[in-house]
Structures are given as C-alpha cells and as structure tokens.
Amino acid sequence: MITLGHYLMFSAIMFSIGLYGILRRKNILLLLFSTEIMLNAINVAFVAIGHYRYDLSGQIAALFIVALAAAEVAIGLGLVLLLYRKYKTLDIDELSNMRG
C-alpha cells in the first residue's frame, strides 16, 4: 500500500533533481525545465497531503501552482527566443560575458 510518506519521498526526490538541474545547468532552456520539475514536485506534495487529510486545499494550491507554471513558461520561452535571436546562444556563461 502506498502511504503519504511514499508520495512525499517521491516529491522530495523530484525536487532534488530539479534543484540539481538549476545549480548545474548552463543552458537557459534546461533551467526552465528544472524549474518545472520543482513546481511539479510541490504539486505532488500538496495533492498527496490534501488527499490524506481529506481536504481540497492541497488541490486548490496545486491548481494555482499550475497556473503560475504556465505563466512562467510563456514568459520564459518568450525571453529565450529573444535572447537566442539577439546573441545566437543560450549558454548562460556566454550571455553574462556579453554585457557592455
């Protein structure tokens, strides 16, 4: 039987993978993907806790996080397209050296 601890452990592993991706990646697209993994890990935790408490507040919080993630992707991908058109690269180290 799957318990709340299993869901929270899965959520913690997903969050750790996303955090590792944010700390180690040099590509802007992979940073956006890592952020999405972290937000989905939070969603899993909220929904699992809400289910085990017989409360809808976890699902409502997850719905707001999904809306936030959609806005983040829309704005983030727009910025990624503008940066790529201007500098022809998505490498964070090269973009930080192009100030001037």
Side-chain angles (χ1 to χ4, degrees):
M1 174 152 177
I2 298 176
T3 64
L4 178 61
H6 290 98
Y7 284 114
L8 293 179
M9 183 60 67
F10 174 68
S11 177
I13 290 169
M14 276 180 57
F15 193 86
S16 299
I17 291 170
L19 185 63
Y20 177 78
I22 285 179
L23 294 176
R24 293 292 176 191
R25 296 294 177 194
K26 301 294 183 188
N27 191 329
I28 294 176
L29 282 176
L30 294 177
L31 287 175
L32 286 174
F33 293 153
S34 297
T35 306
E36 289 295 320
I37 290 172
M38 290 174 67
L39 289 173
N40 285 328
I42 294 169
N43 281 340
V44 169
F46 278 152
V47 170
I49 291 170
H51 174 73
Y52 279 94
R53 293 184 64 204
Y54 299 105
D55 189 13
L56 287 178
S57 61
Q59 285 87 351
I60 293 169
L63 182 65
F64 282 117
I65 292 173
V66 167
L68 175 77
E72 179 250 339
V73 166
I75 293 171
L77 286 178
L79 291 172
V80 165
L81 286 174
L82 287 174
L83 285 171
Y84 184 74
R85 285 182 185 168
K86 186 173 183 179
Y87 298 114
K88 301 294 184 216
T89 185
L90 293 178
D91 188 22
I92 294 173
D93 292 332
E94 289 183 27
L95 289 174
S96 66
N97 290 335
M98 291 185 181
R99 294 182 188 181

